[in-house]
């Protein structure tokens, strides 16, 4: 395998980041970070306990008044420095991200890390624009205006598929708005979240503003969500776990943001550019080994193009180079773990009983046999109500189904519990416009699928959750809107008082 990045010395003090320093967890239990390309342990750390969560929340609570009281310009300057430090450390961060996740280095280098730096730069600017509605005399006798205020300590939980980007998506809008945060990453992939927090401290963001606790979801995660001093939770992960998070948050009347599962449709109308759609489908279904909640998973192709689309996608999938994430020629790395790979394989094996595996459908052997690899897979012949069409597989698996009328294509696209992302492929602006209006999803791309930008929001509907990451829309999650109203009359006995006592 290619050159690996050593992390043990970097995190020798431990994998918890509380009050501006690394420290060891106190649960008495250890967890190993496994390189999914080799199956080898690269770092073992002590997991957090609920007591560590309490300390992290206390650090965030203590830091909140000072950080909330900083001017927008001061927070903006710190975030600009933060973006600069991330840029200086980009190569190291990318290598650690590939090591713990198994994603190809070219994906970490060209997508995850630059996107995170851009997020930091965006929120550095956005921190100066936390504005409310302009002042006005809406009652005639009063002046009203809106204040946007930080809400307090945020306790967030991030997933393992994009640990660096998800840390940024949770932390940046929260602290740009003046909040403090305790983030629990997935224990499989804790390392780049720690590097992110260290960079925040090095940028001059005060101790306690950004804290990281690494521990199991059932203990550490649930304790964080239910903590009485945590006023808001942002969770990204599966829909079943999201339901559990919602139950805990509801019990303590917390503000809640959920970005949950997806089963994105990829709708190809019969006037689409076939070559563009085929290339787009391969890229959008295989990004991050398909471990992406917005990845294309269901390709609905109008019948005149269906056979040609299937043939071309299969042909392109067979050219994808599966291999060592640190080899610059690699297109597709392993899945995050052997357990997850086996779960993906089980979906495909069950599908063989009712559908056709056109290409892929197996783990490679040879030099890759020890890693959590799975070949790009295309399935046809599945029914709309089958498991591979309705359930989130979260691997490099695309299911293609034909449709006849435009009405049918849009109906099938909407026929799952999820509503996170979708795409429509057509040369007809009216046809594409209809698809963007009628497909129920938080994002609908036209003639592309996957690109995201810091200036635009990310979030879903239906079983994919609610609320937004990125963009200024994310401030709706992390600020309290306060109405302030001034009397302008200086009259003691106001006319409306007569409705309570006295006469006009």
């Amino acid at each position: 395998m290619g050159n690996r990045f050593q992390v043990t010395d970097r995190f020798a003090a431990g994998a918890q980041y509380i009050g501006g320093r690394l420290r060891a967890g106190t649960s008495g239990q250890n967890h190993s970070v496994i390189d999914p390309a080799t199956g080898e342990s690269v770092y073992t750390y002590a997991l957090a306990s609920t007591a560590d969560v309490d300390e992290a929340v206390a650090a965030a609570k203590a830091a909140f008044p000072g950080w909330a009281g900083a001017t927008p310009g001061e927070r903006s300057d710190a975030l600009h420095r933060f973006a600069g430090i991330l840029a200086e450390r980009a190569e190291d961060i990318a290598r650690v991200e590939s090591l713990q996740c198994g994603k190809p280095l070219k994906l970490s280098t060209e997508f995850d890390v630059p996107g995170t730096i851009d997020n930091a730069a965006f929120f550095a600017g956005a921190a100066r624009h936390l504005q409310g509605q302009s002042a006005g005399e809406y009652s005639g006798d009063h002046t009203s205006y809106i204040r946007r205020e930080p809400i307090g300590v945020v306790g967030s939980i991030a997933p393992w598929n994009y640990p660096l980007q998800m840390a940024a998506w949770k932390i940046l809008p929260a602290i740009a708005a003046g909040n403090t945060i305790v983030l629990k990453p997935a224990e499989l992939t804790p390392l780049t979240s720690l590097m992110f927090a260290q960079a925040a401290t090095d940028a001059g963001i005060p101790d306690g503003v950004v804290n990281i606790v690494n521990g199991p979801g059932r203990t550490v995660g649930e304790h964080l969500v239910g903590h009485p001093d945590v006023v808001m939770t942002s969770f990204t992960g599966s829909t079943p776990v999201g339901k559990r998070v919602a139950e805990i948050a509801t019990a303590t009347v917390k503000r809640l943001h959920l970005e949950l599962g997806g089963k994105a449709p990829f709708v190809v109308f019969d006037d689409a550019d076939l070559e563009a759609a085929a290339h787009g489908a391969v890229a959008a279904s295989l990004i991050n080994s398909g471990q992406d909640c917005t990845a294309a998973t269901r390709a609905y192709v109008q019948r005149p193009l269906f056979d040609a689309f299937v043939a071309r996608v299969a042909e392109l999938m067979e050219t994808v180079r599966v291999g060592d994430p640190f080899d610059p020629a690699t297109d597709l790395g392993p899945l995050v773990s052997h357990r997850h790979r086996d779960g993906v394989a089980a979906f495909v094996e069950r599908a063989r009983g009712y559908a056709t595996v056109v290409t892929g459908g197996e783990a490679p052997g040879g030099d890759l046999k020890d890693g959590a690899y799975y070949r790009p897979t295309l399935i046809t012949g599945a029914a709309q109500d089958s498991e591979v069409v309705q359930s989130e597989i979260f691997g490099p698996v695309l299911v293609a189904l034909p449709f006849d009328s435009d009405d049918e294509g849009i109906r099938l696209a909407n026929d799952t519990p999820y509503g996170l992302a979708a795409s429509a492929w057509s040369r007809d602006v009216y046809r594409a416009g209809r698809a963007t209006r009628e497909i129920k999803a938080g994002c609908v791309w036209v003639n592309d699928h996957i690109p995201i930008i810091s200036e635009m929001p990310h979030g879903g509907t239906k079983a994919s959750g609610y609320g937004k990451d990125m963009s200024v829309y994310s401030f709706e999650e992390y600020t309290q809107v306060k109405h302030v109203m001034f009397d302008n009359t200086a009259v003691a006995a106001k006319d409306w008082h007569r409705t309570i006592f006295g006469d006009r």
Side-chain angles (χ1 to χ4, degrees), residues 252-417:
T252 50
V253 198
K254 282 181 171 51
R255 185 178 295 202
L256 186 60
H257 163 221
L258 297 173
E259 198 264 270
L260 306 176
K263 192 70 177 174
F266 186 101
V267 183
V268 182
F269 295 100
D270 58 14
D271 66 333
D273 182 326
L274 177 62
E275 193 69 6
H279 277 81
V282 172
S285 63
L286 301 184
I287 185 171
N288 204 34
S289 296
Q291 299 166 130
D292 187 311
C293 49
T294 63
T297 60
R298 300 177 289 139
Y300 295 104
V301 186
Q302 208 149 20
R303 205 169 295 275
L305 291 185
F306 182 76
D307 290 343
F309 176 87
V310 168
R312 186 60 174 139
V313 167
E315 181 180 38
L316 289 171
M317 279 188 169
E318 288 165 6
T319 70
V320 172
R321 298 163 296 188
V322 181
D324 176 11
F326 288 86
D327 184 339
T330 292
D331 297 319
L332 192 77
L335 280 79
V336 73
S337 70
H338 288 78
R339 178 181 178 182
H340 183 62
R341 189 273 310 276
D342 293 346
V344 170
F347 269 104
V348 176
E349 290 309 306
R350 291 191 295 270
R352 291 185 194 277
Y354 56 81
T356 300
V357 177
V358 178
T359 188
E362 63 181 3
D367 292 342
L368 304 180
K369 64 181 175 59
D370 294 329
Y373 291 93
Y374 201 74
R375 293 195 185 281
T377 301
L378 177 63
I379 295 174
T380 61
Q384 175 65 16
D385 62 354
S386 63
E387 180 187 47
V388 290
V389 175
Q390 293 293 324
S391 299
E392 189 173 32
I393 299 173
F394 225 56
V397 180
L398 176 65
V399 183
L401 303 91
F403 69 91
D404 292 303
S405 68
D406 289 17
D407 287 349
E408 182 188 17
I410 292 173
R411 179 181 62 78
L412 291 172
N414 286 330
D415 184 28
T416 72

Side-chain angles (χ1 to χ4, degrees), residues 73-121:
E74 289 168 340
R75 290 199 294 268
S76 176
D77 288 347
L79 286 166
H80 276 298
R81 293 192 299 270
F82 189 14
I85 289 172
L86 292 172
E88 291 169 2
R89 301 175 184 177
E91 182 178 352
D92 283 356
I93 294 171
R95 297 189 72 81
V96 175
E97 189 78 336
S98 287
L99 180 67
Q100 67 179 354
C101 299
K103 61 183 67 190
L105 187 60
K106 68 177 181 180
L107 181 64
S108 296
T109 301
E110 299 179 27
F111 183 75
D112 297 66
V113 175
T116 300
I117 295 167
D118 188 69
N119 280 176

